[in-house]
Amino acid sequence: MKAIAVDVDGTITNQNREICVNAINALRNAETNGFPIILVTGNVLCAAKMVSVMVGTSGGIVSENGGYIQTRKKNLVLGDINKCIPAYNHLKSIYDVKKTEFSDIRLSEIALKRTIDVKTVKETVKDFDVTIYDTKFAIHITDPNVNKGIGLEIVANDMGINVKEVMAVGDAENDLEFLEVVGFKVAVANADKKLKENVDYVTKKPYGDGTAEAIEKFILKWINHLKIKIY
């Protein structure tokens, strides 16, 4: 592996979206030892960028579920929000749905507060050209032509590495596509059942502690083993 891709909410945080100190330490240790961290999230780019700067990640960002990405070379809006607007308007004409805070600054999708069952959302907008994701923190109306996996491949290519050389960690249904494209797949203990069934390793610990566990087990221990052999 040459890089690590991690989701943010529920993966390097706890259930309250509070950043996990153990996860930060593991991510920083990986960066220090030459493994760039790529953030892959449903958050808006500015929020993801703040996390990137404060944690110290250098691999690039996939935000808005793949709809808006920042590579080491460029920013790209990949999703078409004009597909999402009619679906949202139709949903709102039937149910009292509300956008999440700062949803209006999203460039490629619409995010809703989880005040409505996701199955109801999917059924209501099934005739529209959109995909619905439930990240456990918000419900996202997205362009079906983009996802986290497509965004991650572009970011990895701009880093000069193959996406199969990336270890990825996630927890929710919107993480499935980006875990599918990488070389080593990890789900934290709190992850969706479907995600757990399609990975190489499920951590014993939940949330950010699980991500720290995976990085320690598969990256940092390997680095330390090499150092011991060299000396």
Side-chain angles (χ1 to χ4, degrees), residues 99-198:
K99 294 181 181 179
T100 60
E101 188 177 16
F102 305 123
S103 179
D104 286 336
I105 68 173
R106 291 175 181 266
L107 299 182
S108 69
E109 65 167 18
I110 295 171
L112 307 174
K113 293 182 178 180
R114 296 178 80 249
T115 56
I116 183 173
D117 184 73
V118 68
K119 292 181 180 179
T120 300
V121 176
K122 290 180 178 180
E123 178 64 26
T124 305
V125 302
K126 65 181 180 181
D127 294 327
F128 291 83
D129 187 24
V130 295
T131 295
I132 305 299
Y133 290 118
D134 182 3
T135 64
K136 301 180 185 177
F137 297 94
I139 296 173
H140 299 255
I141 304 174
T142 72
D143 180 346
N145 292 321
V146 299
N147 59 54
K148 287 185 173 183
I150 294 170
L152 179 58
E153 288 192 76
I154 296 171
V155 170
N157 287 339
D158 273 9
M159 292 172 65
I161 65 174
N162 190 300
V163 74
K164 295 300 181 185
E165 298 173 307
V166 176
M167 181 180 91
V169 190
D171 76 301
E173 65 174 355
N174 65 326
D175 296 327
L176 186 60
E177 288 93 348
F178 95 90
L179 290 177
E180 285 178 339
V181 303
V182 302
F184 192 75
K185 310 165 182 60
V186 178
V188 287
N190 55 289
D192 285 346
K193 181 181 177 181
K194 185 176 181 181
L195 205 68
K196 291 180 178 179
E197 292 171 348
N198 290 277

Side-chain angles (χ1 to χ4, degrees), residues 81-110:
I81 198 169
N82 291 316
K83 291 182 178 180
C84 308
I85 293 171
Y88 167 74
N89 288 338
H90 177 68
L91 183 68
K92 189 168 180 61
S93 71
I94 302 172
Y95 300 102
D96 184 26
V97 293
K98 298 185 184 301
K99 294 181 181 179
T100 60
E101 188 177 16
F102 305 123
S103 179
D104 286 336
I105 68 173
R106 291 175 181 266
L107 299 182
S108 69
E109 65 167 18
I110 295 171

Side-chain angles (χ1 to χ4, degrees), residues 16-17 20 41 44 53-54 58 90 98 104 107 176 183 228:
N16 298 319
R17 299 186 76 187
C20 173
T41 178
V44 292
V53 171
M54 291 188 170
S58 66
H90 177 68
K98 298 185 184 301
D104 286 336
L107 299 182
L176 186 60
I228 291 170

